Amino acid sequence: MKRKLGALEKLDVDLSSLQYKIRQDPTLYKGDFESQFSQYEVQRDIVLQAPGSITDASITSFRDSIEFIAHVADCYPLLVKSFPEDLVSLLSLHHETLEPELREKIVGSLVLLRRKEIIDSSRLLQTLFPLLISTPSKSLRTLLYQKCLSDLRSSNSKTTNHRLNRTFQIVLHNLLTSDRASSKGLWAVKITRELWKRQIWVDGKAVEIMKEASLADNEKIVAGGVRFFLGGDKEREELEDESSDEDNIDMGRIKHQMGINKKTKKKAKMMENAVATVKRKERKKKQPHPLNFSAFHLLHDPQGFAESLFSKHLQNSRSKLNLEQKLLVLQLISRLVGLHKLTMLNLYSYFIKYLSPRQPSVTSFLASLAQATHNFVPPDVLEPLVQKIANEFVSEAAAAEVASSGLNAIREICIRQPLAMNETLLQDLVMYRKSKDKGVMMAAKGLLGFYRDSAPGMLKKRDRGKEAAIGFRNGERKEQRFGEEATGTIEGLELLEKWKQEQKQRHSKVQGGQETDEREVSDEDEDNDDGWDVDEDSDSDSDSGGWQNVSSDEEDDETPGRDKKFRKRLKQDTASEDTQGEGDDDEGRLVQQAAEAADRLSTLATTRILTPADLAKLQELRLASSVNDALPASQRKRAMAAHQALRRHMDDPLTAAEIEGLASLSKKSTKEERIASAKAGKGDKDEARKSTTAKRKEKKQAQGKSTTNREKARKKNFLMTL
């Protein structure tokens, strides 16, 4: 007890030591804290009276006092009740005249008080954000920007803080709409884009903020808002992929190292951290995946937004945007028009003056035109554009790269609206498939292949090909009419239903027995409701002469898309009806019912809930059916690539590189490029000549693994083995 009293009588001026002691026993050192707090109040009054005339020693002492009180403020909440407001007023009133280190210390102390929950996030952001948009100090702006972002991230780390997010989003929205010509709105763009990338703000209010930024009068703010819509989703996906790659930890390798190397506390701590990271990653995998909608789908009024962008930045002669910025705005408008299928007829006439090979970035204009095309655009609006592209780009006098780009652009436009092409122009462009240049030849063949599938009637008979000619003759490949939409079904669902029926039939054969077969068939009829309807009075039908005749005219009209095998078998059975006996009546009925079942729409989606396994199998069957398995491997790969190109998702942008296509094949390579290509090919050959053991050894070395004992013994000195 005497020793403790002696320690109390000693005056401790070291603030770090006093801070540690207060942490141990706040009540015992309350008097020491009060004396330090009174000293802080005196220094505060001096700074408030003349913030620019205090000495360096006073600044250092005042800075240390602020740091000390901020660290132990949670121990004496009543004594330091006025401390946060003092810091806020000091920073708000004198941030321009305060010494930089003192200013940063005040900001750090406010953030520390927020972590100790002495002040809330809304109060902190209300203090820091007005300084962010008004201070002339670049270092202070950087610090405030980082602190605002970190506070918003920490506030939404466990659960989404909707109240704080909504309040701050309203502040940013008002900042952009109050003065559209001011450059202060650039901070709203930066904060919103960063929080969108971090998947903290993923609602429509963040999209509305960037929408207002795109309609601002300041060029930098407009560019930032437009780039958010064009690349914000891609940045979010890349950040998610990077975070998943960083979490990849090889637990086997770590355990192996822990078992061999020397045991230390540092390595044990690393092992614990690795285990915690793996467990956290497993918990994250089990959580439901968030629905991260694209910014284009969260827009409230895409038609009005596109029209406002077009009238304000492109049609306005007083617009201050340069060509590159106008091209970004045009790409955004074209993405909106193509994705939401908007109607903006004046947009297409804007493209005419830019469709020239001498125009800078002409492939970007061609890509934008293709993106703005959809099946609801009138063909008479697009036909002059296609005709001009063909006249300007596709000719014998044009360079091969120019002709290839023009043909690719025409193909992309026609994929989205096949009616934009007339027969005369199509037959002229198809002739370029005989060009000696590979890029032009491949582009013309791509256009020919598309019209073989979509509208073979527009081609000459010799250009249709065998499959397209048969499909056109049978009525399977018809020309699409303007405004026609396909029925709303799941693509390839009949393949999944057929696969399920085959699996059930195979399972019933393995089980064996008539009762098992009947039970499986009855279950199948109850679940799918698509079985064969067997006639109840089959005996009377057999007595009367079998099943009814079906004429060829009715068959062609009612079942244009019927499977060829069913049609062939049905015709054969119909022709030989008179020669068949009573034993063939059941077989004929089954053939007729199977033909009717082939025409019936699949009801699998309306009678069952598709599981993730069913969706995965559906994707597998869809890919397998899209490629002709009878083709060789090289042609099969090419057909798969063409199928995927035709079924590109609408959310995916069309870039200038895709318009250029195989134009690089038309360009003659220089000597240096040929030498580099030869060296690269030689390296691949050396890699292919390596043995399996050498490849396995390199793989182990790349993973940081050691060699085996057998390899070590082989390299050991001979005298050491005796």
Side-chain angles (χ1 to χ4, degrees):
M1 189 67 182
K2 292 181 181 179
R3 185 178 181 183
K4 189 173 184 180
L5 291 174
L8 289 174
E9 293 173 356
K10 185 178 179 181
L11 182 62
D12 192 354
V13 294
D14 189 5
L15 294 180
S16 7
S17 177
L18 181 59
Q19 176 184 338
Y20 174 75
K21 292 176 181 179
I22 290 175
R23 285 289 181 191
Q24 300 298 321
D25 194 351
T27 308
L28 192 60
Y29 295 94
K30 185 176 180 180
D32 296 334
F33 176 78
E34 290 177 348
S35 63
Q36 291 294 331
F37 190 75
S38 60
Q39 183 180 357
Y40 151 76
E41 289 178 338
V42 173
Q43 294 173 347
R44 178 200 61 195
D45 296 337
I46 295 174
V47 172
L48 288 175
Q49 291 177 1
S53 61
I54 55 178
T55 61
D56 294 341
S58 300
I59 292 176
T60 304
S61 177
F62 185 53
R63 190 169 62 236
D64 295 341
S65 299
I66 291 175
E67 183 180 7
F68 166 72
I69 296 173
H71 277 88
V72 297
D74 54 335
C75 299
Y76 309 103
L78 297 178
L79 294 176
V80 299
K81 191 175 182 180
S82 61
F83 178 67
E85 295 300 327
D86 294 340
L87 296 182
V88 170
S89 60
L90 184 63
L91 186 63
S92 302
L93 297 175
H94 306 286
H95 63 89
E96 296 181 359
T97 57
L98 286 176
E99 194 260 341
E101 293 185 3
L102 177 59
R103 193 169 53 191
E104 293 178 3
K105 184 61 67 177
I106 294 174
V107 174
S109 300
L110 287 173
V111 174
L112 183 59
L113 293 176
R114 162 67 188 92
R115 292 177 183 173
K116 294 178 180 295
E117 297 183 354
I118 297 176
I119 60 175
D120 55 356
S121 294
S122 59
R123 180 56 177 160
L124 178 63
L125 293 174
Q126 288 174 6
T127 303
L128 300 184
F129 187 71
L131 299 178
L132 174 63
I133 62 177
S134 61
T135 179
S137 175
K138 185 176 181 180
S139 60
L140 182 59
R141 288 199 303 265
T142 305
L143 178 64
L144 294 175
Y145 175 69
Q146 294 174 354
K147 297 302 181 183
C148 290
L149 283 180
S150 62
D151 183 70
L152 287 169
R153 291 178 60 184
S154 60
S155 300
N156 293 273
S157 59
K158 295 182 180 179
T159 56
T160 304
N161 194 340
H162 294 285
R163 185 176 181 181
L164 177 64
N165 293 341
R166 186 65 61 196
T167 303
F168 199 63
Q169 285 171 353
I170 292 173
V171 172
L172 299 181
H173 188 272
N174 294 337
L175 178 65
L176 287 168
T177 55
S178 60
D179 188 4
R180 295 187 178 274
S182 175
S183 61
K184 295 180 180 179
L186 194 60
W187 292 107
V189 174
K190 289 183 177 180
I191 293 175
T192 306
R193 188 168 184 175
E194 184 67 23
L195 294 177
W196 178 271
K197 184 172 69 173
R198 301 284 179 181
Q199 299 186 17
I200 298 173
W201 288 359
V202 291
D203 55 350
K205 192 63 179 179
V207 178
E208 288 296 319
I209 293 173
M210 304 307 290
K211 173 183 174 182
E212 296 296 334
S214 302
L215 296 174
D217 295 333
N218 188 281
E219 298 85 357
K220 293 183 178 180
I221 298 177
V222 171
V226 171
R227 285 193 174 96
F228 166 78
F229 285 102
L230 295 178
D233 299 327
K234 187 177 181 181
E235 290 178 355
R236 184 171 59 181
E237 294 174 0
E238 290 176 354
L239 183 64
E240 187 176 359
D241 295 339
E242 290 177 2
S243 60
S244 61
D245 293 341
E246 291 175 358
D247 293 339
N248 291 333
I249 298 176
D250 191 357
M251 289 299 300
R253 179 182 177 185
I254 295 177
K255 290 180 179 179
H256 178 71
Q257 292 177 351
M258 289 292 295
I260 293 177
N261 299 335
K262 183 180 179 181
K263 278 74 175 175
T264 59
K265 291 184 179 180
K266 182 179 179 181
K267 292 181 180 179
K269 187 68 175 176
M270 291 174 59
M271 182 68 180
E272 293 177 0
N273 294 336
V275 172
T277 303
V278 172
K279 289 182 179 179
R280 185 170 62 252
K281 188 177 180 182
E282 292 296 328
R283 287 196 302 268
K284 190 176 180 181
K285 283 183 179 180
K286 295 179 182 178
Q287 293 178 355
H289 192 275
L291 297 176
N292 293 329
F293 290 100
S294 173
F296 290 103
H297 297 285
L298 295 176
L299 281 170
H300 177 64
D301 183 15
Q303 178 75 37
F305 180 43
E307 291 178 354
S308 300
L309 284 173
F310 185 65
S311 61
K312 186 170 186 177
H313 298 309
L314 298 183
Q315 281 187 329
N316 189 6
S317 59
R318 298 181 180 180
S319 178
K320 299 179 181 179
L321 302 181
N322 55 28
L323 180 62
E324 182 181 357
Q325 293 170 342
K326 285 186 177 181
L327 185 57
L328 290 175
V329 175
L330 185 61
Q331 290 175 357
L332 175 56
I333 296 173
S334 63
R335 290 282 300 278
L336 288 171
V337 172
L339 182 61
H340 295 281
K341 296 186 177 181
L342 308 178
T343 302
M344 289 184 61
L345 300 182
N346 53 350
L347 173 65
Y348 304 99
S349 60
Y350 179 80
F351 281 100
I352 293 180
K353 60 182 178 180
Y354 295 105
L355 299 180
S356 174
R358 294 174 295 276
Q359 171 66 38
S361 304
V362 65
T363 52
S364 298
F365 283 101
L366 292 174
S368 300
L369 174 58
Q371 280 186 138
T373 306
H374 52 86
N375 58 338
F376 291 141
V377 180
D380 54 352
V381 175
L382 293 174
E383 191 170 351
L385 296 172
V386 175
Q387 186 69 45
K388 183 170 184 181
I389 294 174
N391 295 337
E392 293 283 344
F393 290 83
V394 187
S395 64
E396 296 180 356
E401 297 89 345
V402 176
S404 176
S405 301
L407 287 171
N408 285 330
I410 292 174
R411 179 174 60 88
E412 293 292 341
I413 294 172
C414 294
I415 285 175
R416 291 160 174 81
Q417 178 54 285
L419 301 178
M421 178 72 68
N422 56 57
E423 295 185 10
T424 305
L425 180 60
L426 176 61
Q427 294 171 6
D428 183 27
L429 296 177
V430 163
M431 295 299 294
Y432 283 91
R433 73 184 187 277
K434 299 179 181 180
S435 174
K436 296 181 179 179
D437 185 80
K438 190 173 183 180
V440 178
M441 180 260 297
M442 294 295 292
K445 283 187 176 180
L447 182 64
L448 174 62
F450 168 72
Y451 273 97
R452 281 178 175 175
D453 295 333
S454 60
M458 297 178 65
L459 297 169
K460 294 182 179 179
K461 290 185 178 180
R462 65 172 182 271
D463 296 332
R464 293 174 185 172
K466 182 178 179 181
E467 295 182 2
I470 295 175
F472 178 69
R473 192 181 305 114
N474 296 335
E476 296 177 359
R477 301 187 181 185
K478 295 182 179 179
E479 185 177 356
Q480 183 182 6
R481 293 179 296 178
F482 176 68
E484 183 180 358
E485 285 282 353
T487 56
T489 58
I490 301 177
E491 182 184 0
L493 190 62
E494 65 279 357
L495 300 174
L496 180 63
E497 188 173 6
K498 182 179 179 182
W499 178 80
K500 282 182 174 293
Q501 291 178 359
E502 292 176 355
Q503 293 296 320
K504 286 187 177 182
Q505 292 176 2
R506 188 180 296 110
H507 180 69
S508 63
K509 289 181 181 179
V510 173
Q511 293 292 334
Q514 185 177 2
E515 296 180 359
T516 306
D517 294 340
E518 292 176 357
R519 192 181 302 113
E520 293 290 333
V521 172
S522 63
D523 293 341
E524 179 182 349
D525 293 340
E526 292 177 0
D527 294 339
N528 296 333
D529 197 20
D530 58 353
W532 293 341
D533 298 326
V534 183
D535 221 348
E536 292 182 356
D537 50 355
S538 58
D539 297 336
S540 61
D541 291 340
S542 61
D543 295 338
S544 61
W547 46 286
Q548 297 179 357
N549 295 334
V550 180
S551 63
S552 59
D553 296 334
E554 293 178 355
E555 179 186 355
D556 292 337
D557 294 338
E558 296 178 359
T559 59
R562 183 173 299 169
D563 192 8
K564 296 179 181 179
K565 294 183 179 179
F566 278 116
R567 287 205 305 266
K568 185 176 180 181
R569 190 173 182 181
L570 190 60
K571 288 181 180 180
Q572 291 176 356
D573 292 338
T574 306
S576 59
E577 178 187 3
D578 296 333
T579 60
Q580 288 180 346
E582 293 182 358
D584 297 325
D585 291 341
D586 294 335
E587 182 181 359
R589 188 183 302 109
L590 291 177
V591 171
Q592 182 185 13
Q593 293 171 353
E596 294 176 356
D599 293 335
R600 192 181 306 159
L601 290 175
S602 176
T603 59
L604 185 63
T606 58
T607 56
R608 285 190 179 184
I609 298 176
L610 299 181
T611 62
D614 292 337
L615 296 176
K617 188 64 181 178
L618 177 62
Q619 180 68 15
E620 180 183 349
L621 294 172
R622 194 183 300 165
L623 291 176
S625 64
S626 63
V627 181
N628 191 359
D629 296 333
L631 292 175
S634 59
Q635 298 183 15
R636 192 182 310 157
K637 184 177 180 181
R638 191 181 307 154
M640 174 69 79
H643 178 77
Q644 292 178 354
L646 288 176
R647 299 196 177 273
R648 186 190 295 114
H649 199 273
M650 291 298 295
D651 287 349
D652 298 335
L654 183 64
T655 61
E658 296 176 1
I659 293 295
E660 294 174 3
L662 299 175
S664 59
L665 299 176
S666 305
K667 189 185 300 183
K668 293 184 178 180
S669 57
T670 60
K671 183 178 180 181
E672 291 77 9
E673 293 176 350
R674 291 196 297 270
I675 293 174
S677 177
K679 289 182 178 180
K682 185 177 181 181
D684 296 337
K685 291 180 180 179
D686 293 341
E687 187 70 23
R689 291 194 188 100
K690 288 184 179 179
S691 61
T692 306
T693 306
K695 292 180 181 179
R696 191 182 298 116
K697 185 176 180 181
E698 288 185 357
K699 185 178 179 181
K700 282 186 175 182
Q701 291 179 355
Q703 295 176 353
K705 296 181 179 180
S706 179
T707 57
T708 61
N709 292 333
R710 186 176 181 182
E711 292 176 349
K712 292 176 181 177
R714 187 166 60 247
K715 294 181 179 180
K716 190 178 292 185
N717 191 0
F718 173 72
L719 297 176
M720 296 175 66
T721 59
L722 297 176

